[in-house]
Amino acid sequence: MIFTIYEIFNSNAALALNMRLEEAKLRAAEKALKMVKDGMVLGLGSGSTVAKFIKLLGEKIGYEFTEIYGVPSSYDTEILAREVGIKIVSLNDYFPDLAVDGADEVDRDFNLIKGGGGCHTREKIVDYSSGEFVVIVDYTKLVTRLGLRKPIPIEVLPFALRLVIRTLSRLGRAEIRRCKGGKLGPVVTDNGNFIVDLNYGRPIEDIEALDRELKSIPGVIETGLFYGSKVSKVVVGYPDRAEILFK
Ligand code: 5RP
């Protein structure tokens, strides 16, 4: 196979950007780790930034921390958390002291779009039930207005798929999320439902009103819209540092 100089340049640039993002995520995870105290029950979000946080946490168990308990927000997180020695507990026994979770978009008021990994229903339950909810993101996730870049993920009962897509289509382009490899067909969530991505294509003016509107559609289980009022801090990672944003 022959590559042009243009293609080589582009693939090197993409590789370099990806490395910067990985570094930035790591910086955010390291900073959030400083908020953890021994014996805490942690709400564990999902995604690649949270995975870095969990791995770093695991390195400290048995040394700096004698015991850490975790309420995972997905099977993916649960498997990793068990592997690194975090004791898994149920939300029906403990509410977390601190939840640490990623996001796809964060605005100035700490409103979020989440659900890039299709885990937002359990994430919202875990994050909202925690004493403190800290968001960890790389710098590319900061936006002035939500809704322009990323679609809004919506978890939908399969039985109601057609009705939900028809109703959502009045608000934007609604598409069922499909697996990108490993399995054919629609993405099936940890709760056995489908994900519909709503490409809103304009700024979200009132996140709570839109969330209520979406949830009023029969068959909508949960949206990826998270209110800023629930978030205590946002930790933003850059390749060389991390900053904590307070309200
Ligand atoms: C999963 C999520 C993730 O937290 C979000 O997609 C961010 O992921 P990453 O840290 O990989 O960028 O909401 O449902």
Coordinates of all heavy atoms in Angstrom, one line a residue, residues 22 25 45-51 73-74 100-105 113-121 123 127 136-138 140-141 150 153 177 224 226, ligand 1:
E22 N -4.7 11.7 25.8 CA -4.4 10.7 26.8 C -3.7 11.3 28.0 O -4.1 11.0 29.1 CB -3.6 9.6 26.2 CG -4.3 8.7 25.2 CD -5.6 8.1 25.7 OE1 -5.6 7.4 26.8 OE2 -6.7 8.3 25.1
K25 N -6.2 13.5 30.0 CA -7.1 12.7 30.8 C -6.4 12.2 32.1 O -6.9 12.2 33.1 CB -7.6 11.5 30.0 CG -8.6 11.9 28.9 CD -9.0 10.7 28.0 CE -9.7 11.2 26.8 NZ -10.5 10.2 26.1
G45 N -17.9 6.5 37.8 CA -18.5 6.7 36.5 C -17.9 5.8 35.5 O -17.4 4.7 35.8
S46 N -18.1 6.1 34.2 CA -17.6 5.2 33.1 C -16.9 6.1 32.1 O -17.0 7.3 32.0 CB -18.8 4.5 32.5 OG -19.5 3.8 33.5
G47 N -16.1 5.4 31.2 CA -15.4 6.0 30.2 C -13.9 6.0 30.4 O -13.4 5.5 31.4
S48 N -13.1 6.5 29.4 CA -11.7 6.3 29.4 C -11.0 7.2 30.4 O -10.0 6.8 31.0 CB -11.1 6.7 28.0 OG -11.5 8.0 27.6
T49 N -11.5 8.3 30.8 CA -10.9 9.2 31.8 C -11.1 8.5 33.2 O -10.2 8.5 34.0 CB -11.5 10.6 31.8 OG1 -11.7 11.0 30.4 CG2 -10.6 11.6 32.5
V50 N -12.3 8.0 33.4 CA -12.6 7.4 34.7 C -11.7 6.1 34.8 O -11.3 5.8 35.9 CB -14.1 7.0 34.8 CG1 -14.4 6.1 36.0 CG2 -14.9 8.3 35.0
A51 N -11.5 5.4 33.7 CA -10.7 4.2 33.7 C -9.3 4.5 34.2 O -8.7 3.8 35.0 CB -10.7 3.5 32.3
S73 N -21.0 2.4 37.7 CA -22.1 2.8 36.9 C -22.2 2.0 35.6 O -23.1 2.4 34.8 CB -21.9 4.3 36.6 OG -20.7 4.5 35.9
S74 N -21.4 1.0 35.5 CA -21.5 0.2 34.3 C -20.8 -1.2 34.5 O -20.0 -1.2 35.4 CB -20.9 0.9 33.1 OG -19.5 1.0 33.3
V100 N -17.0 10.2 41.0 CA -16.1 10.7 40.0 C -16.5 10.2 38.6 O -16.6 9.0 38.4 CB -14.6 10.3 40.3 CG1 -13.6 10.8 39.2 CG2 -14.2 10.8 41.7
D101 N -16.8 11.1 37.7 CA -17.3 10.7 36.4 C -16.8 11.6 35.3 O -16.4 12.8 35.5 CB -18.8 10.7 36.5 CG -19.5 9.8 35.4 OD1 -18.8 9.3 34.5 OD2 -20.7 9.6 35.5
G102 N -16.8 11.1 34.1 CA -16.4 11.9 32.9 C -17.6 12.6 32.3 O -18.7 12.6 32.8
A103 N -17.3 13.2 31.2 CA -18.4 13.9 30.4 C -18.0 14.1 29.0 O -16.8 14.1 28.6 CB -18.7 15.2 31.1
D104 N -19.0 14.3 28.1 CA -18.7 14.5 26.7 C -18.7 16.0 26.4 O -18.0 16.5 25.5 CB -19.8 13.8 25.8 CG -19.8 12.3 26.1 OD1 -18.7 11.7 25.9 OD2 -20.8 11.8 26.5
E105 N -19.5 16.8 27.1 CA -19.5 18.3 27.0 C -19.8 18.8 28.4 O -20.6 18.3 29.2 CB -20.6 18.8 26.1 CG -20.3 18.6 24.6 CD -21.3 19.3 23.7 OE1 -22.3 19.9 24.2 OE2 -21.1 19.2 22.5
I113 N -23.3 17.1 29.0 CA -23.9 16.0 28.1 C -23.0 14.8 28.4 O -21.8 14.9 28.4 CB -23.9 16.3 26.6 CG1 -24.9 17.4 26.3 CG2 -24.2 15.1 25.8 CD1 -25.1 17.8 24.8
K114 N -23.7 13.7 28.8 CA -23.0 12.4 29.0 C -23.7 11.3 28.2 O -24.8 11.5 27.7 CB -23.1 12.1 30.5 CG -22.1 13.0 31.3 CD -22.1 12.6 32.8 CE -21.9 11.1 33.0 NZ -20.7 10.6 32.4
G115 N -23.1 10.1 28.2 CA -23.7 9.0 27.5 C -23.0 8.6 26.3 O -23.5 7.8 25.5
G116 N -21.8 9.2 26.0 CA -21.0 8.7 24.9 C -20.7 7.2 24.9 O -20.6 6.6 23.9
G117 N -20.7 6.7 26.1 CA -20.5 5.2 26.3 C -21.8 4.5 26.6 O -21.8 3.3 26.9
G118 N -22.9 5.2 26.5 CA -24.2 4.6 26.7 C -24.5 4.2 28.1 O -25.4 3.3 28.3
C119 N -23.8 4.8 29.1 CA -24.0 4.4 30.5 C -24.7 5.4 31.3 O -24.7 5.4 32.5 CB -22.6 4.1 31.1 SG -21.5 3.2 30.1
H120 N -25.3 6.4 30.6 CA -25.7 7.6 31.4 C -26.9 7.4 32.4 O -27.0 8.1 33.3 CB -26.1 8.8 30.4 CG -27.1 8.4 29.4 ND1 -26.8 7.7 28.3 CD2 -28.5 8.5 29.4 CE1 -27.9 7.5 27.6 NE2 -29.0 8.0 28.3
T121 N -27.7 6.3 32.2 CA -28.8 6.1 33.1 C -28.2 5.7 34.5 O -28.5 6.4 35.5 CB -29.7 5.0 32.6 OG1 -30.3 5.5 31.4 CG2 -30.9 4.7 33.6
E123 N -25.1 6.1 35.4 CA -24.2 7.2 35.8 C -25.0 8.3 36.6 O -24.6 8.8 37.6 CB -23.5 7.8 34.6 CG -22.5 6.9 34.0 CD -21.8 7.5 32.8 OE1 -22.5 8.1 32.0 OE2 -20.7 7.2 32.5
D127 N -24.2 9.3 40.3 CA -23.7 10.6 40.5 C -24.6 11.5 41.3 O -24.2 12.2 42.2 CB -23.5 11.3 39.1 CG -22.4 10.6 38.2 OD1 -21.7 9.8 38.8 OD2 -22.4 10.9 37.0
I136 N -14.5 14.7 35.7 CA -13.1 14.8 35.2 C -13.1 14.7 33.7 O -13.6 13.8 33.1 CB -12.2 13.7 35.9 CG1 -12.7 12.3 35.7 CG2 -11.9 14.0 37.3 CD1 -11.7 11.2 36.2
V137 N -12.5 15.7 33.1 CA -12.5 15.8 31.6 C -11.2 16.3 31.1 O -10.4 17.0 31.8 CB -13.6 16.7 31.1 CG1 -15.0 16.2 31.3 CG2 -13.5 18.1 31.7
D138 N -10.9 16.0 29.8 CA -9.8 16.7 29.2 C -10.3 18.0 28.6 O -11.5 18.2 28.5 CB -9.2 15.8 28.0 CG -10.2 15.6 26.9 OD1 -10.4 16.5 26.1 OD2 -10.8 14.5 26.8
T140 N -10.7 19.4 25.9 CA -11.5 19.5 24.6 C -13.0 19.4 25.0 O -13.9 19.7 24.1 CB -11.2 18.4 23.6 OG1 -11.5 17.1 24.2 CG2 -9.8 18.4 23.2
K141 N -13.4 19.0 26.2 CA -14.8 18.8 26.5 C -15.5 20.1 27.0 O -16.7 20.2 27.1 CB -14.9 17.8 27.7 CG -14.2 16.5 27.4 CD -14.9 15.7 26.3 CE -14.3 14.4 26.1 NZ -14.4 13.4 27.1
K150 N -22.0 17.7 20.3 CA -22.3 16.3 20.5 C -23.9 16.0 20.5 O -24.6 16.9 21.0 CB -21.8 15.8 21.9 CG -20.2 15.8 21.9 CD -19.7 14.6 21.3 CE -18.2 14.6 21.0 NZ -17.4 14.5 22.2
P153 N -27.5 11.7 24.1 CA -27.9 10.3 24.1 C -29.2 10.1 25.0 O -29.3 10.7 26.0 CB -26.7 9.7 24.8 CG -25.6 10.7 24.7 CD -26.3 12.0 24.8
R177 N -28.4 4.2 18.0 CA -26.9 4.0 18.0 C -26.6 2.5 17.6 O -27.2 1.6 18.2 CB -26.3 4.4 19.3 CG -24.8 4.4 19.3 CD -24.2 4.7 20.6 NE -24.6 6.1 21.1 CZ -24.2 6.5 22.3 NH1 -23.4 5.8 23.1 NH2 -24.6 7.7 22.8
G224 N -29.1 12.0 28.5 CA -27.7 12.3 28.9 C -27.5 13.7 29.3 O -26.3 14.2 29.3
F226 N -27.2 16.3 32.2 CA -27.0 16.4 33.6 C -26.9 17.8 34.0 O -26.2 18.6 33.4 CB -25.6 15.7 33.9 CG -25.6 14.2 33.9 CD1 -26.1 13.5 32.8 CD2 -25.0 13.5 34.9 CE1 -26.1 12.1 32.7 CE2 -25.0 12.1 34.9 CZ -25.5 11.4 33.8
Ligands
5RP1 C1 -20.2 7.2 29.3 C2 -19.9 8.7 29.6 C3 -18.5 9.1 29.7 O1 -18.2 9.6 31.0 C4 -18.2 10.1 28.7 O2 -18.6 9.6 27.4 C5 -16.8 10.6 28.6 O3 -15.9 9.5 28.3 P1 -14.4 9.7 28.1 O4 -13.8 9.9 29.4 O5 -13.9 8.3 27.5 O6 -14.1 10.8 27.1 O7 -20.8 9.5 29.8 O8 -21.6 7.0 29.2

